[in-house]
């Protein structure tokens, strides 16, 4: 995952934005462009929320659709 260096940036909001962007790209049939964003969203959510959280599961499902 890329490092975010902007002061005050909420990592959960970053994850949500990345996940949303990935979903839009999946709908546009550009999975190859969605994958890096979805991977980063998943990494953030796993680190912050744990593997069992529903948002982490949603990221895993979206990433599976991109691969």
């Amino acid at each position: 995952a890329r490092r975010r260096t902007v002061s005050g940036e909420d990592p959960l909001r970053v994850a949500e934005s990345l996940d949303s962007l990935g979903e839009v790209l999946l709908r546009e049939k550009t999975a190859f462009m969605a994958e890096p964003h979805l991977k980063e969203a998943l990494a953030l959510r796993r680190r912050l929320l744990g593997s069992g959280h529903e948002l982490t599961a949603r990221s895993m499902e979206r990433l599976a659709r991109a691969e």
Side-chain angles (χ1 to χ4, degrees):
R2 292 180 304 236
R3 294 193 98 180
R4 305 279 177 194
T5 58
V6 177
S7 177
E9 209 167 78
D10 178 2
L12 286 176
R13 291 179 111 182
V14 171
E16 181 62 30
S17 295
L18 290 166
D19 193 67
S20 295
L21 176 58
E23 178 63 18
V24 168
L25 291 169
L26 283 174
R27 288 183 192 165
E28 295 296 319
K29 309 292 189 223
T30 53
F32 70 97
M33 292 175 65
E35 190 174 351
H37 303 294
L38 294 171
K39 282 183 176 181
E40 186 171 358
L42 177 57
L44 283 168
R45 286 180 167 167
R46 274 190 175 144
R47 182 172 55 85
L48 298 166
L49 301 172
S51 293
H53 194 279
E54 72 177 83
L55 290 175
T56 306
R58 184 172 71 184
S59 288
M60 291 189 309
E61 183 271 329
R62 286 184 176 162
L63 180 57
R65 289 183 13 227
E67 293 179 331

